[in-house]
Amino acid sequence: MAFIPFPRSATRLLIAAMASFVAGCAPMPLQVGLTELGTVSNSEYGAYGTRLMRAINISGTGAEDVVGMVSYDLDKWSLSEQLRRLWPFRQDFPDITSPRLIPGPSSIEERVFCKVEVKDKKKVCTELADVSLDDLTKLRDALVASQVQVDEVAQLKIKLAVLQLARAKLVEIEASKDKSQEKAEQQERVLKALHQLYPGEKFSEDLTSVIDGVNKELKDHPLASSLNIIRDVTKKAGVIVTRWVGSAKGSTSAEGAGLASASATSSHHVNGYLILGYPRITTLKLGEDFFRRPPDSDLGIFGKPARRYLTYYQVRARYVLYAEGRASEFSASLQANINQTLEQIKAITQGGRNEEALKNSLNIDVNAVYALVNSSASSGTLDAAQSKTESLDCKFSSAQGWSDCLKNELTRSEGTLPVISVRANLEEFARELE
């Protein structure tokens, strides 16, 4: 399952909606923050005092960045950060955070996913693969719709299980040798429990038609159509769907559209989907010239060297689509429904042995539905045969060579957006002295 790690600390990815600032306006749902615009970064200490920074740009609106570029960290000095540096226990970082070192001069390796043909024994991108922006927009809409639909299907499955249990109990009561009055009282208790669970619906001793109706709703439910769209698009080469998670702190208050309220002291988890169309993966391979670079290429300006980060790995994409998730809200609503259902099961079974069986059935059915959607929402296809790699020089032996490398990368990156950037402060690495 594809997954993008987010920092453990609050990212302030979401802030309260502008409705809280405008007098007389109705509250609005939480929105992507106006300053962060869906971008977060996290710096950590690696081995040998090296500082790592992983920047995630969900919305594609972050500052431009390419491999070989230097960034400056403006975060204040932090005691907790220094204590984490001394943390004695092992911490495993993703493989992409490991700088690649090569003998000889530095170079940039890039893999682009596209339709290719061979010309003069070389792969050449002729056109993009068979995925359009319209396809990816449909995919995003299907992912958003499936969040609501999976909750509806789970609720219907719970209802079906309860109705089947109630029908079995009513048949058992009818077949018993109890007196007619006792049977009527037992039947009334079962039907009363159903009315409390599903007010406004009509139930009788024969629940067959109601059960048939629920089965038809499940059969015709649009969740199946949404999952088909997700599968059809993600099986095309050049598409990645992944989940993002984080936490947010609200700076104001807002409530509406079924969302939990946010306040100045509130902290809540946020999540959503990130869709990449036609990704390209770029790696800066550091050679001997980087560690022997002359003083005039050190960019020793505006602060201490320990605050300078070099970008050496990046994922970019032509299309970047994202959507905020609401899974936590639906999960809370569903859990409330299950709890209410379990309260009424005793009235339906009236001391029977089917209560525990229904609990197990509810867990299995509900988990199966959510697992189906989650597996579909974290998928993608990258066809190595429909891609090409390119190796380019990026010399650090002079300030002009470094500058030329950056200019070339900025030109080649046109038409794509930065999504993931991995940076490190490499000043702690020993440099060979003359």
Side-chain angles (χ1 to χ4, degrees):
M1 181 181 293
F3 186 79
I4 294 183
F6 265 55
R8 293 182 293 274
S9 59
T11 66
R12 295 185 299 160
L13 178 60
L14 304 182
I15 61 173
M18 292 180 65
S20 58
F21 296 103
V22 182
C25 292
M28 297 173 61
L30 300 177
Q31 304 270 335
V32 172
L34 296 180
T35 53
E36 286 81 1
L37 285 172
T39 62
V40 301
S41 63
N42 182 38
S43 60
E44 302 168 276
Y45 274 103
Y48 313 112
T50 304
R51 290 166 59 95
L52 301 173
M53 179 181 289
R54 284 175 280 177
I56 315 274
N57 182 14
I58 296 172
S59 63
T61 56
E64 188 54 69
D65 186 24
V66 293
V67 294
M69 185 173 285
V70 173
S71 305
Y72 192 72
D73 184 6
L74 292 178
D75 290 338
K76 292 182 178 179
W77 184 89
S78 168
L79 176 60
S80 62
E81 183 182 80
Q82 299 302 317
L83 292 175
R84 286 198 301 272
R85 180 180 185 179
L86 302 176
W87 187 249
F89 301 104
R90 179 183 177 88
Q91 180 179 2
D92 290 323
F93 292 102
D95 181 66
I96 60 174
T97 63
S98 301
R100 268 47 179 180
L101 308 181
I102 59 174
S106 303
S107 65
I108 291 175
E109 191 83 15
E110 182 176 72
R111 181 184 292 273
V112 182
F113 292 89
C114 59
K115 281 191 175 181
V116 297
E117 66 179 35
V118 178
K119 292 182 178 180
D120 298 329
K121 298 182 180 182
K122 292 183 180 180
K123 282 186 174 182
V124 179
C125 282
T126 57
E127 57 180 297
L128 292 174
D130 57 346
V131 179
S132 66
L133 180 58
D134 184 58
D135 291 330
L136 298 179
T137 302
K138 290 178 180 178
L139 171 60
R140 181 190 60 187
D141 293 344
L143 287 168
V144 173
S146 68
Q147 295 181 84
V148 180
Q149 294 164 351
V150 69
D151 183 67
E152 294 172 349
V153 169
Q155 304 278 15
L156 286 172
K157 284 186 172 290
I158 293 173
K159 183 178 181 180
L160 180 62
V162 171
L163 290 172
Q164 290 173 335
L165 178 64
R167 180 172 64 177
K169 185 61 181 180
L170 290 172
V171 171
E172 178 187 322
I173 293 172
E174 185 62 29
S176 69
K177 298 179 179 180
D178 295 337
K179 296 180 181 180
S180 299
Q181 183 176 355
E182 293 178 353
K183 286 184 178 181
E185 291 175 354
Q186 293 174 1
Q187 290 171 342
E188 180 61 27
R189 284 198 291 271
V190 173
L191 296 177
K192 182 179 179 180
L194 291 178
H195 282 297
Q196 288 181 336
L197 282 173
Y198 308 107
E201 296 194 35
K202 296 181 179 180
F203 299 104
S204 63
E205 288 79 4
D206 185 4
L207 297 175
T208 302
S209 61
V210 181
I211 292 175
D212 290 344
V214 175
N215 277 321
K216 187 176 186 307
E217 284 188 76
L218 284 169
K219 180 181 178 182
D220 299 338
H221 200 277
L223 175 62
S225 176
S226 295
L227 292 178
N228 285 336
I229 292 174
I230 295 171
R231 281 191 290 266
D232 289 344
V233 178
T234 55
K235 72 182 181 182
K236 297 180 178 182
V239 177
I240 297 178
V241 180
T242 187
R243 303 286 298 272
W244 58 264
V245 295
S247 58
K249 288 184 178 180
S251 57
T252 57
S253 297
E255 184 176 8
L259 291 170
S261 62
S263 66
T265 58
S266 70
S267 179
H268 55 280
H269 291 288
V270 291
N271 61 81
Y273 302 104
L274 179 63
I275 303 170
L276 305 182
Y278 308 123
R280 61 172 61 192
I281 302 166
T282 310
T283 303
L284 173 60
K285 298 180 179 180
L286 300 176
E288 298 170 6
D289 56 327
F290 176 79
F291 299 100
R292 297 175 180 173
R293 62 193 185 277
D296 65 345
S297 63
D298 267 358
L299 293 182
I301 55 176
F302 303 127
K304 299 179 179 179
R307 287 291 181 174
R308 295 200 299 265
Y309 291 83
L310 177 75
T311 301
Y312 57 90
Y313 174 87
Q314 193 171 60
V315 175
R316 304 179 69 92
R318 177 180 178 182
Y319 298 129
V320 179
L321 293 84
Y322 66 97
E324 181 183 326
R326 297 178 60 186
S328 58
E329 302 162 39
F330 298 133
S331 177
S333 172
L334 182 63
Q335 188 58 53
N337 188 339
I338 292 177
N339 292 339
Q340 183 183 12
T341 300
L342 295 179
E343 286 294 320
Q344 299 299 327
I345 286 178
K346 294 180 180 179
I348 294 175
T349 60
Q350 299 180 26
R353 298 180 180 179
N354 293 327
E355 180 180 345
E356 191 64 32
L358 178 60
K359 290 181 181 179
N360 293 335
S361 176
L362 290 180
N363 285 330
I364 293 173
D365 287 347
V366 170
N367 288 335
V369 173
Y370 277 95
L372 181 63
V373 172
N374 287 335
S375 63
S376 299
S378 296
S379 56
T381 302
L382 295 179
D383 184 359
Q386 295 297 313
S387 69
K388 79 179 191 73
T389 58
E390 187 175 8
S391 183
L392 302 168
D393 290 337
C394 186
K395 297 179 180 179
F396 292 90
S397 54
S398 68
Q400 187 60 48
W402 190 352
S403 176
D404 291 343
C405 175
L406 286 177
K407 289 178 181 178
N408 291 335
E409 276 305 293
L410 287 168
T411 299
R412 291 189 330 110
S413 67
E414 291 179 358
T416 61
L417 296 168
V419 181
I420 301 173
S421 297
V422 178
R423 310 170 184 133
N425 175 284
L426 302 176
E427 298 295 338
E428 295 289 344
F429 276 76
R431 178 182 299 177
E432 183 174 332
L433 300 177
E434 295 183 359

